[in-house]
Amino acid sequence: MNKFCILLVFVISAGIALAYSPDPTWLKRITHEAGLDSCRGGRIWVADVNNDNYPDLFWGEGGINKNHLHLYLNVPNPDKTSLVKRIFVNWTDSSGINVNRDPMKTGRVVDIMAAADLNNDGNIDIVTSIYYHRLQYYQNGQDPGDRTEVMLGDGKGHFTLNLDARTNIINMNDTLPLGLINATGMAYLDADYDGILDLYISTWFTDYAAFNGLGTPMPDVFLKGNGDGSFQRIMNSGMQNVIEPEYGVNATDYDNDGYQDIITSPYCRSGGALFRNLKEGKFVNFTDFANYSAQKMNGDHGQALCQWSAQPGDFDNDGDMDLLQVEVHGGYNEGEGRTHISVNGGPNNGYAYQWDMTRIVRDAPLESHLGDQGGNWIDIDGDGWLDCLIGQSAYPAANLEGQERLYVCLQDTSDHILKDISKPLGLFSTIKEAHTPIPVDYDLDGDQDILVSHTIRDTSKIGDSTVIKTWTQIELLRNEIGNSFNNWASFKLKSTYYATNRSCIGARIYTSTHGLNQIREVQAGVGHFAGQMPFIQNFGVGKYHYIDSVAVRWPRKDLMTSVYKYPPLNCISELNDKGEIVTVKNWEGLKPIIAFDKPFLRFDTVNVGVGIVKDFDVKNLGDSTLVISAISFDSSVASQYSLVEKSFKLDPGKSFTFRIMFSPSKRNDFSTALKIVSNAFNTPTAFIDIQSYGFEKQPMLASDSSSLNFGKVFIDSNKTISFTVKNAGELPLTFTASDINGNVDNAFDLSGNSFPFTLQAGDEKKLNVSFSPKNEKAYTAQAIIKSNAYNEPQKVIALVGAGDIPRAQISIIPGIFLMSSVQIGQNKDKDFQIINTGNGELIVSSITFLSDTVKDIYSIPGLVTPLKVKPTDSTTLTLRFTPKEVKTYNTKMQIASNAINEPNKFITVRGSGVPTSVTELIDGKSNLKITVLPNPVKDRTKLSFELNGIVEMKLRARLVDFLGREVYPQFEVILTNVTYQKEIDLSFVSEGMYCLIIETGGMAKMIPMLVIK
């Protein structure tokens, strides 16, 4: 790139920076108006079941299991006066989705479903399954008999149970009833590109209560589609050897090889898996190579994270699929994990994922326990950059500051950080305890609305009693911002190739808009409980007036890619594999649709006095007459262009050619946009971008800088910076003089340069500016370079600098003190360094601890203040921890100094006191001493029982966690006036605090024990 800033560079007038602030008008709750008051459920799936392109709503009741499925159709609002043009009507009974395989039964249990065209007849079908949660809920006569089923759709909203297609999967544990699957997620993919959809079902536990609560994980299920809506289980896919409890599953092409890979979201006891598609229906465990895990770090205060979904999306528009990993048990303290983005490293890094905890900034206090139970990507404002939704639902008691709600995080395009805008959107107090946010363009207006389930707690008084009614409600939030300020285009895919699944699942759509490159993948079944989204893909393009091109990589073995130039804006286009674009009707009645054969004109450089003619075609893709009422150029350049046509009418399917002449009157950039006002439904005000430049020979000034920043310079010293000027024109460029405006203290100086001087065409010269501050303050001025330049006869260079004196800066290593666990009365020392990273002497005046409760607990032996540290030097001190009670001591150490960066440096200090190894007698008579050594325990410890003064004692011992669950088998000890010892192996026990309970004669003693790893 040329380093010189030439004035006449053409820039398209299409800013994509956010020019408006979030406010409650962005999202409008229309739940009641849209007919969803009765949708009291927690699960949401969206698919077009009657082939009218509008997404219909499946929803499930909000219990843990044994739920029922409902279907609401998206239909025109019969109230033509309403501002809500589409509503939902209950279609459940007419749809047949709850017909039971057993003709003697009415209704059917469905906890999870996913929708796609399974038999390639052009209609949406569904697979439903159950989530039985705990095996005991389906034992002892409690099994309703419902299993995984296929229901074939007729494209009119009716479904038929495929009696011949029941999967009848036998679990690995043959003691379970036939086909009992504890399903938590479903993802469709065509694993071998035979044109028939396959299905991956993620599962939880076979029996959660087995092995003292450790549970028996259930193997996930991979089903090969047969093409008629039935499936067969594949046991040798390469995925069968990873058996761990899952919360969900996603399919995406993570490595850009054209084939869908599988990414699982694990329960808290594992890291999940990424299975790479080997292209013939076989997979390989690529988890380590892809650096994928849900457990890179623990969450709130060390709790294991549980991942609900790993939603793929190219949030940074760099051409590969990143992941939104939605986690439960997250925290915001230093070193705590939470919901985050894992950034795909791309081809240069083997597509390995990297956790990035900085990309999502949420309004949550440090002491948080984040129960995020749903999340999705969404471009809420249509600027072409993905934002995200996060539904935080669980643990309201731990979220006392109001953060258990729906979060909308808007991407700041300046740094690609997704920043929480929930409060200005009014979601802080409205959508509380949100669960499943699903982006959906429910009204096909080009922006993504939001369907979300959340908990409502209705508190009322009956006499002196308080009654709380609780239910889960599905809400519809209509997007009022996405298409209000920005342009958009939506695409529906249609394949005619025999070996492409008709839902086009696995297809990838690329759009290129003036260097803004976006990706969408067609997916079905995403994340936790297969949250389904529509197949029509939305693309916002900000203020740009056109899309350069759309490319579709079709899901077939040859990975054929079709390219479509300049699709129409602000409407839905059907793209087929023959390279054709067909407008999809998203309007009622008859409407005109405006489009252009080329939405820009490039005159480039035209000599002054010469006229050049360009043309473009206007097309009417609608079904009513297009009337263009006004055509105009920007007034500042209108004299340079001529256009004969002023207004006209265009019938449906017709086109008209416009001819524009550009005749420049002088050397200048006359780039503009032709404004076309019409009655078009999609774009009433459309623009044709025009790039044009008038040319005549002139001296032209270019410079490699328009400002010079000297930074901080010590008083009475000097710093010089050079900048370059160049003659970018064709005639000699003469520099006549220079001056400095606003030159306080004469701090800036240009006198080292000799004026006048002349540069021939293409020549350049360095000019020097020096800065000598006289006082400790900021200086600003303007250097003025005068010349005969046609473009810039007075070149202005902003000058910035500051006078400075030597200053100290402080840094502490380590940045946090985790003293772990120390026995009462013992102490633990940890060294730390105070480093002076500045250029002046650091003077530490005091080191104190903020909490009075840690007095004499934390200390710094040998500390003498003031403590002085020379520039770039360091000193080492020792922090001593001496606990006095069995408790956790959390505080902050405050280091007060003259440091310019942090005069009060705060360091988190955390440590725990644990009991000594000896506890006293149960009955308080000192007849028995019990010794636990070591305590804390790593793998093994020894229990010693010493009886004194009693002939015999019988006692029972057991180890439990703080929920009372037994973690080590109970055992008995019979003591006779001797010492008895027993070694116990705790290597299989998770890290944490436990209680050793000793019982005898109806009395009990609890001894705290700490297990560390």
Side-chain angles (χ1 to χ4, degrees):
M1 179 180 293
N2 193 319
K3 66 179 180 179
F4 293 101
C5 305
I6 302 175
L7 176 67
L8 301 176
V9 174
F10 171 71
V11 179
I12 297 174
S13 58
I16 59 173
L18 192 67
Y20 37 85
S21 299
D23 62 62
T25 64
W26 278 33
L27 297 174
K28 182 177 182 180
R29 181 163 19 180
I30 59 169
T31 306
H32 172 72
E33 295 85 344
L36 298 180
D37 286 338
S38 60
C39 296
R40 296 192 169 190
R43 309 294 183 189
I44 301 172
W45 304 274
V46 182
D48 173 22
V49 302
N50 56 358
N51 290 333
D52 65 352
N53 294 313
Y54 285 90
D56 305 300
L57 171 65
F58 291 92
W59 63 275
E61 295 170 5
I64 293 177
N65 62 2
K66 294 184 180 177
N67 296 301
H68 298 285
L69 189 63
H70 303 262
L71 172 59
Y72 279 39
L73 289 187
N74 184 339
V75 301
N77 191 346
D79 181 3
K80 300 303 180 182
T81 64
S82 173
L83 296 178
V84 177
K85 301 304 180 184
R86 305 288 301 190
I87 64 172
F88 291 92
V89 296
N90 191 346
W91 187 251
T92 307
D93 293 340
S94 300
S95 69
I97 57 174
N98 287 319
V99 171
N100 199 291
R101 178 178 290 270
D102 185 346
M104 303 302 294
K105 292 184 177 181
T106 300
R108 191 160 60 89
V109 167
V110 175
D111 299 304
I112 182 173
M113 63 149 280
D117 185 356
L118 303 180
N119 55 3
N120 288 331
D121 65 351
N123 304 318
I124 287 293
D125 313 302
I126 61 174
V127 172
T128 66
S129 192
I130 61 170
Y131 169 65
Y132 63 76
H133 191 57
R134 300 288 198 271
L135 182 58
Q136 57 264 37
Y137 297 163
Y138 270 69
Q139 293 177 327
N140 302 321
Q142 299 182 80
D143 185 351
D146 298 300
R147 296 294 186 268
T148 306
E149 300 283 9
V150 175
M151 305 204 75
L152 300 179
D154 66 353
K156 300 178 182 179
H158 307 102
F159 292 87
T160 303
L161 189 66
N162 192 344
L163 296 174
D164 299 326
R166 188 168 185 176
T167 54
N168 283 342
I169 304 151
I170 300 176
N171 288 287
M172 298 295 288
N173 185 339
D174 57 11
T175 63
L176 293 178
L178 189 67
L180 192 63
I181 300 177
N182 211 359
T184 58
M186 294 180 177
Y188 290 111
L189 71 160
D190 185 355
D192 53 1
Y193 283 156
D194 62 353
I196 300 171
L197 287 177
D198 312 310
L199 179 62
Y200 189 101
I201 304 178
S202 64
T203 62
W204 205 40
F205 288 93
T206 298
D207 185 356
Y208 182 84
F211 297 106
N212 294 321
L214 295 177
T216 306
M218 176 179 285
D220 287 350
V221 178
F222 181 56
L223 301 174
K224 181 80 177 78
N226 295 323
D228 59 357
S230 66
F231 295 90
Q232 60 182 1
R233 185 172 185 180
I234 303 298
M235 300 298 294
N236 61 347
S237 65
M239 298 183 283
Q240 69 278 354
N241 294 325
V242 179
I243 302 175
E244 55 188 17
E246 311 288 5
Y247 265 171
V249 62
N250 289 80
T252 188
D253 176 13
Y254 102 95
D255 56 359
N256 288 356
D257 67 351
Y259 282 72
Q260 300 296 99
D261 310 298
I262 290 290
I263 301 177
T264 64
S265 289
Y267 182 56
C268 312
R269 304 177 186 180
S270 58
L274 188 150
F275 299 107
R276 185 170 184 255
N277 194 330
L278 298 180
K279 305 181 182 181
E280 295 297 334
K282 300 289 186 180
F283 293 79
V284 62
N285 186 352
F286 229 60
T287 308
D288 292 339
F289 293 98
N291 194 37
Y292 171 72
S293 177
Q295 302 286 347
K296 291 285 185 185
M297 62 178 68
N298 288 328
D300 179 48
H301 293 286
Q303 294 200 56
L305 294 171
C306 301
Q307 183 168 292
W308 285 57
S309 59
Q311 309 289 35
D314 184 13
F315 89 102
D316 50 9
N317 288 342
D318 66 349
D320 46 48
M321 302 305 281
D322 312 296
L323 299 177
L324 174 63
Q325 293 185 238
V326 181
E327 310 269 12
V328 168
H329 301 313
Y332 260 91
N333 284 300
E334 185 175 350
E336 293 180 347
R338 54 191 173 271
T339 295
H340 65 279
I341 295 174
S342 281
V343 180
N344 193 317
N348 294 333
N349 297 287
Y351 297 98
Y353 284 107
Q354 185 66 45
W355 274 41
D356 193 334
M357 304 298 296
T358 68
R359 294 287 187 169
I360 299 176
V361 177
R362 290 161 69 181
D363 179 23
L366 289 181
E367 282 304 317
S368 298
H369 189 101
L370 304 175
D372 297 336
Q373 295 187 347
N376 265 308
W377 298 106
I378 183 175
D379 181 4
I380 192 168
D381 59 344
D383 67 348
W385 296 89
L386 288 178
D387 315 304
C388 75
L389 306 171
I390 301 173
Q392 185 177 331
S393 178
Y395 317 115
N399 294 307
L400 301 179
E401 299 192 38
Q403 70 263 32
E404 72 287 0
R405 62 179 187 270
L406 175 64
Y407 285 86
V408 179
C409 296
L410 185 72
Q411 182 168 177
D412 186 332
T413 58
S414 66
D415 56 13
H416 303 299
I417 302 296
L418 282 77
K419 300 174 181 178
D420 180 15
I421 59 170
S422 308
K423 282 187 177 179
L425 292 185
L427 301 176
F428 183 80
S429 59
T430 53
I431 309 299
K432 304 288 287 181
E433 297 180 59
H435 187 277
T436 307
I438 299 291
V440 51
D441 184 5
Y442 110 97
D443 47 7
L444 299 187
D445 66 350
D447 53 26
Q448 291 179 298
D449 313 297
I450 301 171
L451 282 164
V452 59
S453 62
H454 73 118
T455 301
I456 292 180
R457 302 179 187 275
D458 183 13
T459 303
S460 57
K461 282 279 191 180
I462 300 180
D464 295 331
S465 300
T466 300
V467 178
I468 301 178
K469 296 180 181 179
T470 303
W471 69 91
T472 305
Q473 177 68 47
I474 294 175
E475 308 276 7
L476 176 57
L477 306 177
R478 188 174 66 192
N479 191 332
E480 303 286 310
I481 186 68
N483 65 7
S484 297
F485 292 94
N486 292 321
N487 291 316
W488 58 273
S490 297
F491 302 106
K492 175 184 179 181
L493 302 186
K494 180 178 181 180
S495 175
T496 60
Y497 183 59
Y498 74 96
T500 303
N501 72 86
R502 289 301 174 264
S503 293
C504 294
I505 291 171
R508 181 174 281 191
I509 305 175
Y510 305 82
T511 64
S512 179
T513 310
H514 304 279
L516 175 66
N517 301 314
Q518 301 180 63
I519 295 175
R520 300 288 187 273
E521 279 185 350
V522 180
Q523 300 169 347
V526 291
H528 183 64
F529 271 66
Q532 182 93 21
M533 293 177 284
F535 292 147
I536 294 177
Q537 303 295 308
N538 301 84
F539 291 82
V541 296
K543 299 299 183 186
Y544 290 124
H545 300 148
Y546 63 91
I547 295 176
D548 297 295
S549 64
V550 179
V552 177
R553 188 188 69 194
W554 299 92
R556 43 192 269 185
K557 285 183 183 288
D558 61 2
L559 300 179
M560 186 187 81
T561 299
S562 303
V563 179
Y564 313 83
K565 297 292 287 184
Y566 316 127
L569 282 187
N570 304 321
C571 62
I572 304 171
S573 297
E574 181 181 271
L575 311 177
N576 64 36
D577 50 10
K578 297 179 180 179
E580 300 169 334
I581 301 178
V582 178
T583 302
V584 175
K585 185 170 182 176
N586 64 332
W587 61 87
E588 295 182 31
L590 303 178
K591 303 287 184 181
I593 299 294
I594 193 169
F596 307 96
D597 69 327
K598 47 180 179 288
F600 60 86
L601 297 178
R602 299 288 184 264
F603 289 95
D604 295 323
T605 302
V606 177
N607 288 329
V608 171
V610 176
I612 299 294
V613 175
K614 299 280 186 180
D615 61 49
F616 66 94
D617 289 346
V618 176
K619 298 181 287 185
N620 182 0
L621 304 180
D623 46 23
S624 180
T625 300
L626 175 69
V627 179
I628 295 180
S629 55
I631 304 174
S632 61
F633 296 96
D634 183 271
S635 59
S636 63
V637 299
S639 62
Q640 312 297 314
Y641 298 93
S642 58
L643 174 67
V644 175
E645 296 81 5
K646 295 299 180 183
S647 64
F648 68 96
K649 296 181 179 180
L650 199 60
D651 291 332
K654 300 297 183 180
S655 63
F656 182 84
T657 300
F658 280 92
R659 293 171 58 83
I660 297 175
M661 176 177 285
F662 171 53
S663 301
S665 61
K666 59 182 178 179
R667 178 171 182 154
N668 202 5
D669 180 359
F670 294 108
S671 299
T672 186
L674 178 67
K675 182 179 180 181
I676 301 175
V677 179
S678 72
N679 66 335
F681 173 73
N682 59 325
T683 312
T685 302
F687 294 89
I688 299 292
D689 286 333
I690 299 176
Q691 180 181 339
S692 52
Y693 175 64
F695 177 78
E696 62 181 344
K697 289 183 179 182
Q698 296 286 356
M700 303 292 293
L701 170 63
S703 174
D704 64 352
S705 181
S706 59
S707 65
L708 300 178
N709 190 336
F710 291 83
K712 292 182 178 181
V713 178
F714 288 153
I715 293 173
D716 296 327
S717 63
N718 181 279
K719 182 178 182 179
T720 299
I721 298 180
S722 299
F723 67 98
T724 302
V725 291
K726 179 180 180 178
N727 184 356
E730 302 77 32
L731 300 179
L733 173 62
T734 299
F735 293 85
T736 57
S738 66
D739 196 6
I740 300 178
N741 289 343
N743 196 9
V744 177
D745 295 338
N746 293 317
F748 299 102
D749 186 23
L750 274 166
S751 62
N753 306 289
S754 59
F755 289 87
F757 64 90
T758 300
L759 296 180
Q760 300 300 316
D763 288 349
E764 60 184 60
K765 181 181 178 65
K766 285 187 179 295
L767 300 179
N768 298 320
V769 182
S770 63
F771 175 51
S772 299
K774 303 300 186 295
N775 295 286
E776 184 188 352
K777 65 179 183 180
Y779 289 86
T780 60
Q782 291 181 324
I784 310 297
I785 312 297
K786 300 177 181 180
S787 71
N788 67 332
Y790 175 77
N791 59 321
E792 210 171 357
Q794 284 201 135
K795 174 67 178 179
V796 178
I797 304 288
L799 305 178
V800 178
D804 195 18
I805 60 175
R807 298 178 188 275
Q809 294 194 79
I810 192 170
S811 176
I812 306 296
I813 297 178
I816 184 172
F817 289 100
L818 300 177
M819 306 300 287
S820 67
S821 301
V822 178
Q823 290 187 0
I824 296 171
Q826 302 296 314
N827 59 56
K828 181 177 183 179
D829 291 346
K830 181 171 286 190
D831 290 343
F832 65 97
Q833 283 186 304
I834 298 179
I835 305 171
N836 183 357
T837 57
N839 49 31
E841 186 175 52
L842 174 67
I843 301 175
V844 177
S845 56
S846 66
I847 302 179
T848 56
F849 299 92
L850 296 188
S851 174
D852 290 337
T853 62
V854 300
K855 186 177 182 181
D856 300 327
I857 302 298
Y858 293 109
S859 61
I860 303 176
L863 173 66
V864 177
T865 56
L867 178 66
K868 298 181 179 181
V869 185
K870 294 180 179 180
T872 70
D873 203 353
S874 66
T875 188
T876 300
L877 299 176
T878 300
L879 174 66
R880 176 164 294 171
F881 174 46
T882 309
K884 295 183 177 181
E885 299 180 58
V886 179
K887 62 180 289 186
T888 297
Y889 295 90
N890 292 331
T891 188
K892 288 186 181 294
M893 181 169 67
Q894 180 180 3
I895 303 175
S897 71
N898 66 333
I900 186 65
N901 58 329
E902 288 182 277
N904 286 288
K905 178 79 172 178
F906 294 95
I907 305 294
T908 297
V909 181
R910 181 182 301 169
S912 297
V914 296
T916 56
S917 60
V918 178
T919 184
E920 299 234 341
L921 172 73
I922 294 175
D923 58 7
K925 297 179 180 179
S926 301
N927 293 326
L928 174 66
K929 287 188 176 181
I930 305 165
T931 303
V932 183
L933 192 66
N935 183 15
V937 184
K938 184 171 179 60
D939 291 319
R940 295 175 178 272
T941 190
K942 184 177 293 185
L943 308 183
S944 297
F945 302 86
E946 183 179 349
L947 189 61
N948 183 20
I950 297 178
V951 176
E952 182 177 293
M953 178 180 288
K954 182 177 180 181
L955 53 84
R956 185 168 60 252
R958 55 196 176 96
L959 186 66
V960 301
D961 63 18
F962 276 87
L963 294 178
R965 296 175 297 195
E966 191 172 279
V967 298
Y968 187 86
Q970 178 177 288
F971 61 90
E972 288 189 349
V973 176
I974 300 177
L975 297 175
T976 58
N977 199 15
V978 294
T979 298
Y980 176 86
Q981 294 185 338
K982 179 177 178 63
E983 185 177 86
I984 60 175
D985 180 6
L986 298 180
S987 60
F988 64 93
V989 175
S990 301
E991 184 174 73
M993 288 294 296
Y994 297 88
C995 284
L996 177 66
I997 301 178
I998 310 295
E999 299 175 301
T1000 182
M1003 302 184 69
K1005 179 69 176 181
M1006 291 189 296
I1007 304 173
M1009 287 179 60
L1010 176 67
V1011 176
I1012 60 175
K1013 296 298 183 182

